[in-house]
Amino acid sequence: MPKNSQEIPHAERRAKVLDEAIRQFAGNGYRATSITAIAKVLGLSSAAVHWYFPTKDDLFAEVLTSMFHAATERASGDPDLGGDPRAELISVLEELDPHKALVREAYERLNTSSTLREAYAKVLQWADDRLIRAIAQRVSEDADVDLLAETAHVLLEGLLVSVRTRDRSIADMIDLLIDPLAAAAAARPRGGTTGS
């Protein structure tokens, strides 16, 4: 006889809600997904879903965080990537690429949801770190890579939230970010100045 929802441990019930939310958000997007629809598939009330995730944005943030963590864990655990920040960044962006519309929807809600803002910031911080580390590997130790952090951040964020169709692979796009930024960093030594 199957367990009723009262006999299922809290963590297991929460995981089932999250799994269904991932499926529905990935398939339908943020706007077309409702707490009611998620609850109905699981045989729960909307109030039961809200018990685990008080708002739709809380659930959406957890969906994005879960998808991101799964992608980063696979990338960091892949022996073929060997801890290479460029390769890890490309791997994660390729895995998340089919869901870039979700990332865009999260980005559009940053000003209205602190929960989404925090989740999105963690994704961007991880990606920024990998991009800056990849640039640093291509320049001498005295190059001022930190100076380029804001530019790298803006360019990377554009890649994350753009929903337009690209004619280049993600690896090509990352290299198009890394190469000129590495050249700019190499031209600016730490504490030094450039100019005429």
Side-chain angles (χ1 to χ4, degrees):
M1 183 168 168
K3 296 179 184 178
N4 70 35
S5 62
Q6 297 299 322
E7 296 172 332
I8 300 171
H10 173 83
E12 187 178 329
R13 280 181 282 163
R14 186 180 190 283
K16 286 182 185 235
V17 170
L18 182 58
D19 288 344
E20 181 58 26
I22 290 170
R23 190 185 71 71
Q24 288 198 32
F25 278 118
N28 306 327
Y30 176 84
R31 288 175 190 85
T33 298
S34 70
I35 297 295
T36 303
I38 292 166
K40 185 176 181 180
V41 168
L42 297 170
L44 299 172
S45 67
S46 294
V49 173
H50 284 297
W51 191 71
Y52 299 108
F53 303 98
T55 69
K56 183 178 175 181
D57 281 345
D58 291 332
L59 181 54
F60 187 38
E62 190 69 25
V63 164
L64 292 174
T65 298
S66 180
M67 293 169 76
F68 173 69
H69 281 310
T72 58
E73 284 179 15
R74 277 188 281 281
S76 64
D78 187 337
D80 292 336
L81 302 183
D84 175 23
R86 175 190 167 275
E88 288 181 0
L89 179 59
I90 290 167
S91 173
V92 169
L93 292 179
E94 285 175 345
E95 187 167 334
L96 295 179
D97 195 53
H99 309 292
K100 63 184 174 182
L102 283 181
V103 176
R104 176 62 181 242
E105 287 181 298
Y107 179 78
E108 291 169 353
R109 298 192 52 71
L110 295 182
N111 290 332
T112 59
S113 173
S114 62
T115 306
L116 280 171
R117 192 168 39 253
E118 289 170 24
Y120 183 83
K122 289 176 184 173
V123 170
L124 200 53
Q125 181 180 2
W126 182 92
D128 281 347
D129 174 69
R130 294 313 183 279
L131 183 61
I132 294 297
R133 286 175 43 203
I135 293 167
Q137 288 180 337
R138 295 190 183 191
V139 298
S140 66
E141 287 184 23
D142 69 334
D144 194 353
V145 176
D146 294 336
L147 181 66
L148 301 174
E150 186 64 24
T151 302
H153 173 87
V154 169
L155 294 172
L156 184 59
E157 188 168 40
L159 183 60
L160 279 170
V161 301
S162 175
V163 291
R164 65 183 282 258
T165 303
R166 293 182 311 271
D167 61 349
R168 296 178 183 270
S169 70
I170 289 176
D172 286 346
M173 297 298 290
I174 291 298
D175 288 338
L176 286 170
L177 292 177
I178 292 171
D179 292 340
L181 291 174
R188 295 177 182 263
R190 287 187 199 278
T193 59
T194 61
S196 38

